Amino acid sequence: MNIPYRPLALGLVALAFSAVVLQRAQAGGDDYFPPVVDPLVKEECGSCHIAFAPSMLPARSWKRMMANLSDHFGDDASVDADTAARISSYLVTNAADTGGKRYSSKLLRGLAPNSAPLRITELPKWVREHREVPAWEWKHKDVRTKANCVACHADAEQGFYED
Ligand code: HEC
Ligand code: HEC
């Protein structure tokens, strides 16, 4: 292996990758959901699973979720009151029906205006988009749960969800 060339090669790969990401972001497709940029939210909400994009749920869902973090899908995800208030404000500001609308109003299609689901994976539109995924695939050892977006969407943490 020719060690002196490695940094150059890595640099080129990184450059090519960011060019692709930039191109897709500029295309502004329906399948781009701006990732969490707030370091606090990333840390507190990205340790057990990816930090889900706030624009994937309506504000009322985030409020409901943040009101009961001690029983979060069976886990205790509670944080102190100040931290909770900061996280909540970030999620609500960037929710699907507030800040993120441009990208994600499509994902709320078919959702009753007063329902506040806690799962992205239970949104009618999400279910429709995934109806062709066979049962065995959800159970595959590399997937295990529908919430494991990165298993199938390699760039989920960068906000991209196309095939
Ligand atoms: C202690 C671990 C833990 C922490 C911390 C945590 N979560 Fe979760 N979260 C879970 C588990 C477990 C699930 C259920 C995953 C599954 O169904 O496979 C979940 C599911 C979710 C889902 C639903 C995913 C779906 O099915 O659509 C959302 C949204 C979510 N979490 C948001 C958050 C937010 C926001 C925070 C930060 C306030 C957070 N989580 C912090 C453990 C955690
Ligand atoms: C088992 C694999 C798998 C998992 C896990 C998975 N998806 Fe998907 N997802 C797919 C497939 C397959 C499609 C359909 C692709 C297509 O038609 O372009 C899709 C489509 C989508 C789309 C629509 C993209 C578009 O082109 O309009 C979104 C948004 C999406 N997924 C989000 C998610 C989120 C968020 C999660 C995690 C909570 C997730 N997916 C988990 C396989 C998966």
Side-chain angles (χ1 to χ4, degrees):
M1 180 158 246
N2 202 337
I3 287 162
Y5 281 98
R6 277 189 73 198
L8 179 62
L10 285 177
L12 286 175
V13 168
L15 205 73
F17 179 72
S18 55
V20 167
V21 167
L22 193 68
Q23 233 169 36
R24 284 160 162 181
Q26 282 167 342
D30 289 336
D31 39 20
Y32 176 64
F33 297 84
V36 169
V37 290
D38 186 306
L40 180 75
V41 180
K42 254 192 191 162
E43 189 186 322
E44 299 292 350
C45 305
S47 54
C48 300
H49 44 64
I50 64 161
F52 295 111
S55 63
M56 289 196 150
L57 284 174
R60 56 189 185 274
S61 291
W62 294 123
K63 285 183 193 154
R64 190 179 151 211
M65 183 176 296
M66 292 305 296
N68 189 13
L69 281 184
S70 58
D71 182 10
H72 179 76
F73 304 93
D75 271 19
D76 184 354
S78 51
V79 291
D80 66 72
D82 279 358
T83 307
R86 281 178 56 194
I87 294 172
S88 194
S89 140
Y90 180 83
L91 295 173
V92 165
T93 307
N94 295 288
D97 51 347
T98 54
K101 193 179 171 72
R102 188 153 68 91
Y103 302 106
S104 53
S105 52
K106 208 177 89 177
L107 200 54
L108 296 194
R109 229 178 257 166
L111 183 69
N114 54 356
S115 88
L118 296 180
R119 284 190 182 272
I120 299 158
T121 53
E122 283 175 0
L123 294 171
K125 178 70 179 168
W126 192 96
V127 173
R128 260 203 312 283
E129 290 282 358
H130 294 84
R131 67 186 179 277
E132 278 165 23
V133 177
W136 66 263
E137 215 168 298
W138 295 124
K139 293 188 199 117
H140 192 280
K141 64 174 172 48
D142 296 334
V143 181
R144 295 181 330 276
T145 156
K146 291 180 179 176
N148 188 10
C149 321
V150 275
C152 306
H153 303 283
D155 297 333
E157 278 177 291
Q158 285 75 48
F160 297 104
Y161 289 88
E162 65 226 295
D163 35 48

